[in-house]
Amino acid sequence: MAEMEWTHPTAASAQRRSAPWLRWFSGHFLDWEDWLTLALMLAATMSVSATLEGGGWSANMPAITAVSVLSVLAAMLLARAGLPLAIAWPLAVLLGGAVTFWQTLIMVGPGTLEQRIDTIYLRFDTWFQQAFTGGVSNDPLPFNVLIIGLTWLGVFLFGWSVFRWHNAWIGLIPGGIALFMDIAFVGDSLSGATLLYILFGFLLIMRTNIVSRMARWRADGVTYPPMISLSFLNFSGWALLLLIAAAWIAPVGPFTTPSPVQALVTGVEELGVNFVRLAGPLRVKKIVPVHNYTGVLPFQGSVSLGERELLSVKVDDPNIQGPIVLRGSVYDEYGSGGWEAGQRDEADLPPNSEQRLRQELDQGDVKGTLVPLQVVVTAKSVVGSIVFSAGQPVSADIPVHIEAPAGSLRTYSVSPQGTRFVRQLPDGGVYLSDEQVLRDYLARGLIGLSVQRGESGRVVSVQAFDSSDQTLPDAAVLQPEDSLGQGQGYKISGFVPAATPEELKAAGRDYPNWVTPNYLQLPHSLPGRVRDLAADVALRYVQRPNAGPAQDVTSTAVLDSAAPYDLAKAVEGYLRSYPVDYQVEDTPPGRDTVDYFLFDSRRGYFDYHASAMVVMLRTLGVPARLGVGFVVDETDLQRESNTYIVRDRNSYAWTEVYFPGHGWVVFNPTPDRPADLSPQARADAAADANPSINDFPNLPVSADPFFDIPGNLGAKGTGLPASTDSGNGYAPWLALGLAAFIAALAASVALGWQRSVAGLPYSQQIWEKTVRLASWAGYAPQPGQTPTDFANGLQRALRELRGVSVLVAAYNRSRFGRRDEAGEERERMTELWPHIRGVLIGAILGRVLHRRRRVDDQG
């Protein structure tokens, strides 16, 4: 026992024992086990705060890391102090409020305490007004204050759960939500900081588990090694690192994101639409990099346009080349900090709209370019959430729906009458298919989109638009039914209208009743000098040179009498003098962004130029809106695959101006690209359309007469000797042989034409000829059409045509009723046939001549 006496304290040593409060403090806060837990917790917390601060959410992110450290220390002190929950948590909230107020004073900037408090009040008052009036904020202060408050509360919950409850799972949830938000909006993949959070989080879980066990062991008198905590963490750390390394190097395989996780990400992104409206300028990477194509488009200030590939686009018409505007979305309502989409009506693309548009183009009723595209999504990005088209969308090979401006689509009541039916209704009514209703029972000029029915199946109303306003429904956004992932694609045709300046000048101001309510909106806070500048620019452009100073003429009279096209060109030309700069400062809080761009910064990029043009035109009474998407040209074309590669740097914005009878026309006030962004015909298109002798190098020299070659082209163009023979030579014999050949060809065609219907009843012969001629004229029967439906459609397409109903009635009786025509009916068909044949042949010739004129114009 003697050798063990040294372990017993002597009387002197007992008298030198520490004070009780010091023993309590050291027992609660100086234990190395607690400091080990604190170190792990700080590492996990700072991995999240560092990710948020460096992720680019805002230009001036608050000091999240400093706030996190203070919150961890406060949680440890309050948890170890033994205070009850009802006292500790309110005290923590008070401490958090003090830290938040301190950080807010720092973010406001220099000034006395009273000046800073006044500034905070004014900025929050403005923010609340924008929040409740649907505006878009450009002030990041409320967002930063929110971040500080949430950081304090989330980290305090983390620390309390670890130090008081010995449960790290609950505390890890806030940090996990923050990282999930960061991944959903900012990063495309897990970052190193995120992996650190996972590592230290699991170590904390293991740590709190062993601490709980140690407490039970001490209570039960069970001995355990003094360094079990370090041994346990060492083993767990190496095991977790091996698991992370294995997951990192393991092949991805065919697996995709689980649908619940993808649905959660989509839900967060949809929730973020309203959040972005009030968060001030955000810096994000995943949202392409300026435009997110959602309902809100805030001004972003400084941006960096990178080289990330987003889409590959192939034009299915070899005669079309860039620039090509890939239209993603348009925005209607302007606020001082950005744009909103406005009210929209959802609808489907009109059925058979591409066929109708092609007929109108062939007939010359509509002028423009139909641009068919093949689009493939090449990156995980928001570009998969919408469908891009060149101009207004016409047709797509995937299920889509359009969002049209409120009022542009109307609901019309219809009362279908007739004898054709698919099935008889119980009440004796006639059931018509949706296609029949939209095709046969709408007033002239209305293009139907969808049919609404009552409970009995009767047609109640149809959704349609007036084609006299514009050729196609106004699709502000075109969305797929399901978001498109990397590697998925679609085919889509878009229509770009074409009109000369003279036609646009003559369009006038007789706008449809849905245009002015949606596209003349301006905030009441818009400074008056923006209106004055727009009027001054317009007067300088439209006033006659000899009319004297602007004040000598009534300004209002001049502007009211000016053509909207002239006003648009005036503003476009003025804004193209503003230089392009992607490193612009954020608009100061409380300032209107367009006003700040026009008078203070006087530089910016496409969002600023295009927005300024829209706002200035609206002050002049000209309906305009902002369009966003991408613009590609020949510099983006891969020649070997004839595919345009769309990158971040192709992001763009433009101004769309409405002209009655023409629809929306694109203007470009940004000087880094041409003012005219319409697709162009390739320089070699006409040459490709008209073959020359150079395209047939193996033909003999005598083949020259078959080609339209100028007389002097032989020597200069082809290397062939120029003819010097001025006599007739063999020309008469060639002309005679050519005439005989044409006569024989005509006889063969006539014989073949007649023999092809030989043996059929007379009514079926006449009908088959009618169908063939109509097909050559561009009015071929559609799949699923009955003969009667085809005849009705042909009658509507060719107004001068008459008597087709007699032919189709006789054909139906002969073909399906097995009854031949009577003598009087046969005579009637014989009388009608020359007229019908003449009209159809005229339509064929008109189609051929129209195509020839198009080729000549392109040449």
Side-chain angles (χ1 to χ4, degrees), residues 301-625:
S302 176
V303 296
S304 177
L305 302 181
E307 294 293 325
R308 179 178 54 160
E309 294 185 9
L310 301 172
L311 301 168
S312 67
V313 178
K314 185 175 182 179
V315 182
D316 282 342
D317 188 339
N319 296 326
I320 296 176
Q321 66 178 6
I324 296 176
V325 174
L326 299 175
R327 194 168 177 272
S329 180
V330 298
Y331 292 91
D332 314 332
E333 298 180 4
Y334 172 72
S336 60
W339 291 88
E340 291 187 82
Q343 296 183 354
R344 301 283 171 81
D345 296 329
E346 189 171 308
D348 297 324
L349 283 174
N352 302 322
S353 57
E354 183 168 354
Q355 176 190 359
R356 176 178 59 85
L357 182 61
R358 288 186 182 277
Q359 291 177 356
E360 292 176 345
L361 288 171
D362 290 341
Q363 296 169 4
D365 298 332
V366 173
K367 293 194 300 182
T369 304
L370 191 63
V371 185
L373 302 177
Q374 295 184 39
V375 182
V376 177
V377 178
T378 57
K380 293 181 180 179
S381 171
V382 75
V383 296
S385 63
I386 59 171
V387 174
F388 292 87
S389 65
Q392 287 285 351
V394 179
S395 64
D397 68 341
I398 60 173
V400 295
H401 66 269
I402 63 175
E403 292 184 2
S408 63
L409 306 178
R410 299 184 60 185
T411 301
Y412 299 87
S413 60
V414 293
S415 299
Q417 302 292 332
T419 58
R420 298 185 312 278
F421 60 93
V422 177
R423 63 177 174 82
Q424 198 76 15
L425 296 176
D427 59 1
V430 175
Y431 181 91
L432 300 170
S433 67
D434 288 359
E435 183 180 357
Q436 287 176 299
V437 174
L438 296 178
R439 186 181 62 241
D440 300 336
Y441 292 96
L442 289 181
R444 184 176 181 181
L446 295 182
I447 306 299
L449 301 176
S450 60
V451 177
Q452 293 79 42
R453 298 180 180 272
E455 295 181 357
S456 64
R458 281 186 175 275
V459 176
V460 175
S461 60
V462 298
Q463 186 185 48
F465 73 98
D466 192 342
S467 62
S468 62
D469 294 337
Q470 55 192 62
T471 306
L472 298 165
D474 187 8
V477 181
L478 185 63
Q479 294 183 324
E481 284 191 357
D482 299 311
S483 183
L484 300 170
Q486 187 175 6
Q488 295 180 301
Y490 50 89
K491 291 183 178 181
I492 184 167
S493 294
F495 177 66
V496 180
T500 64
E502 291 73 21
E503 291 172 332
L504 295 178
K505 288 181 181 181
R509 301 195 183 206
D510 186 17
Y511 300 111
N513 55 11
W514 59 270
V515 171
T516 52
N518 290 325
Y519 298 110
L520 289 180
Q521 169 273 337
L522 287 172
H524 297 295
S525 60
L526 183 71
R529 61 178 181 174
V530 176
R531 302 176 185 270
D532 296 338
L533 177 64
D536 183 61
V537 170
L539 285 171
R540 290 201 305 264
Y541 185 89
V542 303
Q543 192 141 29
R544 296 188 301 273
N546 298 325
Q551 55 268 25
D552 293 344
V553 181
T554 304
S555 300
T556 304
V558 173
L559 296 178
D560 289 345
S561 62
Y565 176 80
D566 289 334
L567 300 179
K569 293 303 291 184
V571 175
E572 180 189 53
Y574 173 76
L575 291 175
R576 288 182 70 84
S577 65
Y578 281 62
V580 173
D581 185 0
Y582 295 101
Q583 304 303 314
V584 295
E585 297 181 355
D586 292 340
T587 303
R591 291 287 304 276
D592 182 270
T593 303
V594 166
D595 174 80
Y596 185 74
F597 165 73
L598 290 173
F599 296 99
D600 293 273
S601 68
R602 298 187 61 82
R603 59 198 315 109
Y605 49 91
F606 37 79
D607 278 1
Y608 293 85
H609 289 78
S611 298
M613 183 173 178
V614 174
V615 171
M616 293 175 71
L617 286 179
R618 289 185 177 186
T619 65
L620 300 173
V622 178
R625 67 187 184 187

Side-chain angles (χ1 to χ4, degrees), residues 85 108 125 144 155 172 182 202-203 224 250 301 331 338 343 369 418 424 548 604 654 714 741 784 843 857:
L85 187 69
V108 167
D125 181 66
N144 291 341
V155 174
L172 287 170
D182 185 74
F202 273 98
L203 290 180
Y224 55 87
Y331 292 91
Q343 296 183 354
T369 304
Q424 198 76 15
W654 54 87
F741 172 78
D857 292 341

Side-chain angles (χ1 to χ4, degrees), residues 68 251 288 335 397 407 498 511 516 668 742 768 808:
S68 300
V288 182
D397 68 341
Y511 300 111
T516 52
N668 179 28
I742 293 175
E768 291 297 331
V808 72

Side-chain angles (χ1 to χ4, degrees), residues 1-10:
M1 295 292 293
E3 66 273 16
M4 296 297 295
E5 289 181 356
W6 64 272
T7 61
H8 296 281
T10 63

Side-chain angles (χ1 to χ4, degrees), residues 740-753:
F741 172 78
I742 293 175
L745 180 62
S748 300
V749 169
L751 180 61
W753 171 266

